[in-house]
């Protein structure tokens, strides 16, 4: 289990007057993605089949991701009593399929898998920090504070294992960078768009472009420059670059501008 439990969340402080309906929608989407964490843990155990210590850490990690899903789902049901988490999760599982039962990483190596996992934890750590800062509802703030701390700890877990894997595998800087960039680009793939659809839409059929933009508009709109800067330092560290140097600062400014431009464009398109 995680370092916090659902019973420690101050559910009785829930304040309906501070709800933001746009945030409720992305929390519903996040709840189904997080709850799917057990499938990824199973995949990591297959990839590290001869490493019982890491398997144990991966299973614990998966349990923590599932707990994130449960906490977010419970909050979303408080915010919207019509939200049926089980139905949403069933729709997500039926429509978004990845082969988690193979024992070889699609990143080509164990180190590659760890780099990809680091990228996901960077993104979630920054995202839940941004959501915590943007939310006015106090229970959601507390949930996001806990989750963001977990995601940062998950990054450290995978980074530590990456260093161990790199002692045995020769993965050059460019390969690390390519894997990292590839995984970041995948954040625009179907997973989040389909989760947003499965958790929020019951009338219309799935339209990838539409739901990708619907999710991204709400998610990017939450991020501020310091959230992006925090993420860039962790990305640089994972690919083997100096995390606080000139290059990192330049990349951070570039990434922030790119995200801001995208957020403004999506807002205008939706207006
Ligand atoms: Fe999570
Ligand atoms: Fe995580």
């Amino acid at each position: 289990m995680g370092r916090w439990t659902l019973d420690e969340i101050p559910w009785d402080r829930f304040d309906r007057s501070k709800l933001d309906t746009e945030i409720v929608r992305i929390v519903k989407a996040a709840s189904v993605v997080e709850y799917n964490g057990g499938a990824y843990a199973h995949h990591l155990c297959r990839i590290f089949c001869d490493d019982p210590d890491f398997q144990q850490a991966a299973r614990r990690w998966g349990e923590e991701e599932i707990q994130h899903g449960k906490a977010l789902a419970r909050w979303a049901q408080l915010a919207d009593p019509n939200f049926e988490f089980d139905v949403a999760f069933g729709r997500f599982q039926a429509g978004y399929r990845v082969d988690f039962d193979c024992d070889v990483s699609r990143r080509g190596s164990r180190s590659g898998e760890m780099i990809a996992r680091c990228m996901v934890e960077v993104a979630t750590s920054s995202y839940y920090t941004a959501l915590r800062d943007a939310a006015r509802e106090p229970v959601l703030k507390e949930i996001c504070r806990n989750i963001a701390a977990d995601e940062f700890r998950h990054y450290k877990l995978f980074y530590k294992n990456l260093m161990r894997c790199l002692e045995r595998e020769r993965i050059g800087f460019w390969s690390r960078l390519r894997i990292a960039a590839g995984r970041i680009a995948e954040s625009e793939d179907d997973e989040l768009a389909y989760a947003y659809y499965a958790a929020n839409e019951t009338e219309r059929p799935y339209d990838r472009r539409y739901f990708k933009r619907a999710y991204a508009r709400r998610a990017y709109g939450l991020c501020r420059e310091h959230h992006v800067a925090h993420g860039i330092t962790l990305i640089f560290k994972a690919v083997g670059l100096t995390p606080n140097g000139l290059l990192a600062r330049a990349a951070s400014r570039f990434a922030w501008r790119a995200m801001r431009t995208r957020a403004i464009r999506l807002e205008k398109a939706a207006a």
Side-chain angles (χ1 to χ4, degrees), residues 34 61 64-65 68 117 120-121 124-125 128 147 150-155 158:
E34 295 278 356
W61 163 77
E64 291 181 4
E65 299 296 5
H68 297 170
R117 294 306 338 157
V120 175
E121 302 298 341
T124 51
S125 160
Y128 287 110
I147 295 181
D150 282 353
E151 309 295 20
F152 184 54
R153 194 162 38 76
H154 295 164
Y155 170 86
F158 294 132

Side-chain angles (χ1 to χ4, degrees), residues 143-245:
I143 293 169
C144 291
R145 187 185 66 76
N146 282 313
I147 295 181
D150 282 353
E151 309 295 20
F152 184 54
R153 194 162 38 76
H154 295 164
Y155 170 86
K156 290 197 278 190
L157 165 74
F158 294 132
Y159 180 78
K160 197 171 145 199
N161 202 42
L162 167 64
M163 293 299 111
R164 227 164 44 94
C165 293
L166 285 172
E167 287 170 10
R168 287 189 221 136
E169 297 172 332
R170 292 243 165 257
I171 304 275
F173 165 72
W174 292 108
S175 295
R176 286 167 74 172
L177 189 62
R178 182 178 48 76
I179 293 165
R183 185 59 191 85
I184 292 166
E186 276 174 33
S187 62
E188 293 261 333
D189 76 1
D190 260 346
E191 185 175 25
L192 294 168
Y194 202 87
Y196 183 85
Y197 166 74
N200 288 289
E201 184 64 54
T202 50
E203 300 292 321
R204 56 197 292 174
Y206 181 57
D207 174 336
R208 182 178 176 176
R209 185 168 182 269
Y210 177 85
F211 287 104
K212 190 170 91 172
R213 290 161 72 90
Y215 175 79
R217 176 166 68 82
R218 292 169 174 89
Y220 289 176
L222 300 177
C223 290
R224 297 294 171 263
E225 192 166 5
H226 62 281
H227 302 128
V228 175
H230 173 69
I232 291 290
T233 61
L234 298 180
I235 291 168
F236 266 48
K237 196 174 161 191
V239 298
L241 287 166
T242 308
N244 295 307

